[in-house]
Amino acid sequence: MLKNKKIILITIIAVILLTLTGCSNKEEKIPQADDSAFLMDTLVQMRAHGENAEKAVEASMERIRELENLMSKTIETSDIYKLNNSPEMKIDINQESMKVLKKAVNYAEQTDGNFDPTIGALVELWGIGTKNPEVPSESEIKRALSNTGYQYLKLYDSSAEITRPGVKVDLGGIAKGFAAEEVKKVVENYGIEHAFVNLGGNVLVIGDKVDGTPWKIGIQDPRKDRGNVMAIVDAVDKTIVTSGNYERYFEKDGKIYHHIIDPKTGYPAENNLLSVSIISENSFDADALSTAVYVMGLKKGMKFIENMEDVNVMIITEDLDVYISSGLKDIVEIKDSDFNLIEGENFAD
Ligand code: ADP
Ligand code: MG
């Protein structure tokens, strides 16, 4: 009887051991696919794990290309190009571009115009990211400012109209977030449970890592070259979207002119911030929010985010103070002692 029990026990242990090794073998065998490409004016990097990883990555990249073709300001067949170049006319708009336009106008309303998709005239004037950017004259800024304002963008069911010639739509602050969410749909359709996509600082992770631990997302050190991180965020099914003054800028007479424009002044937003990272579930919203909070500045931006559910923010100032909203306490780890962490509740009003 005792002997029998022993045999049963040994068999059970052997089965468990077999299953365990079986598991880890399977883990190792899960195919992985990686790819990167220059799309939507930025470097897109992607990884997926799963039987269909290769196909999923390929289809995702193709999807991003499709969206770029719809929403680019410079591709002449895009919805946005047509809209910008035929003012005072109703232009047919694809349903997907319409979703982005609607969300953009919605955020413009919610953020008191700090986020504004009609920033195009100012973006073109400053030419940041082009070969020869110049500081514009005040009269040029004034003119471009008069051609900025989401009240000049009318949206209908499947068409849109710019009601003032000279006003230009620019979805650079939100389209990458939409693309990230579309990538999520694509990979999930391929049955992928572990993946990430990074569209130039717009990161979305799907599931956890293959080994069951969270993805570790690095927050770029705003003072250093790309790839140097100052903090790590644990992420499962999350997005981390960063807007920073180091992304695209030029320097003139010791002053930095960057690519996030304050629609009220016509100049790059000046509020002593180095970067704003939004950590949440939805990349589409997070993209608009990171740009908006950057323009709003520390106090207004922090308050705005603390009033939203399930959205968190990390704001780095020029003094290297790192302000985090209350939900981030346990998932952010600062890696560099040059930075001082200041948590939500200690935030001085
Ligand atoms: P990145 O494009 O580097 O990821 P953002 O998401 O912050 O950074 O978007 C910045 C881009 O958004 C600019 O290059 C420009 O196209 C557009 N933009 C600039 N200022 C604003 C603004 N106040 N509101 C909406 N979009 C803006
Ligand atoms: Mg953005």
Side-chain angles (χ1 to χ4, degrees), residues 173 243 287-288 290-291:
S243 288
D287 193 5
S290 68
T291 311

Side-chain angles (χ1 to χ4, degrees), residues 185-298:
K185 282 190 202 157
V186 170
V187 300
E188 283 176 352
N189 277 339
Y190 279 94
I192 301 289
E193 290 170 5
H194 316 273
F196 75 79
V197 62
N198 179 4
L199 299 100
N202 205 314
V203 179
L204 176 79
V205 307
I206 292 134
D208 50 8
K209 290 204 292 182
V210 184
D211 65 6
T213 62
W215 295 95
K216 304 252 174 221
I217 312 292
I219 306 273
Q220 170 71 34
D221 185 332
R223 305 163 303 167
K224 296 188 182 155
D225 287 344
R226 201 173 272 274
N228 288 290
V229 304
M230 50 67 66
I232 302 278
V233 180
D234 281 356
V236 177
D237 281 319
K238 278 211 163 42
T239 187
I240 303 187
V241 180
T242 301
S243 288
N245 69 355
Y246 56 86
E247 284 282 345
R248 278 162 224 249
Y249 67 92
F250 71 99
E251 225 173 313
K252 181 89 195 251
D253 302 327
K255 208 171 148 53
I256 284 190
Y257 296 95
H258 61 83
H259 73 314
I260 303 170
I261 311 285
D262 184 338
K264 304 275 196 298
T265 65
Y267 285 82
E270 243 183 290
N271 36 35
N272 306 322
L273 300 189
L274 294 179
S275 71
V276 171
S277 301
I278 299 287
I279 295 112
S280 67
E281 310 251 297
N282 186 295
S283 215
F284 192 10
D285 292 276
D287 193 5
L289 286 171
S290 68
T291 311
V293 169
Y294 192 98
V295 178
M296 285 177 180
L298 178 61

Side-chain angles (χ1 to χ4, degrees), residues 34-55:
D34 289 273
D35 200 5
S36 63
F38 196 81
L39 292 169
M40 291 186 122
D41 224 10
T42 199
L43 179 66
V44 178
Q45 296 162 299
M46 196 180 164
R47 170 174 301 167
H49 301 269
E51 285 306 323
N52 293 315
E54 198 87 41
K55 281 187 198 146

Side-chain angles (χ1 to χ4, degrees), residues 297-314:
L298 178 61
K299 281 189 187 171
K300 210 173 157 198
M302 184 59 82
K303 208 166 178 185
F304 189 76
I305 296 299
E306 287 281 23
N307 279 328
M308 298 186 89
E309 243 171 73
D310 300 324
V311 180
N312 278 292
V313 68
M314 172 185 221

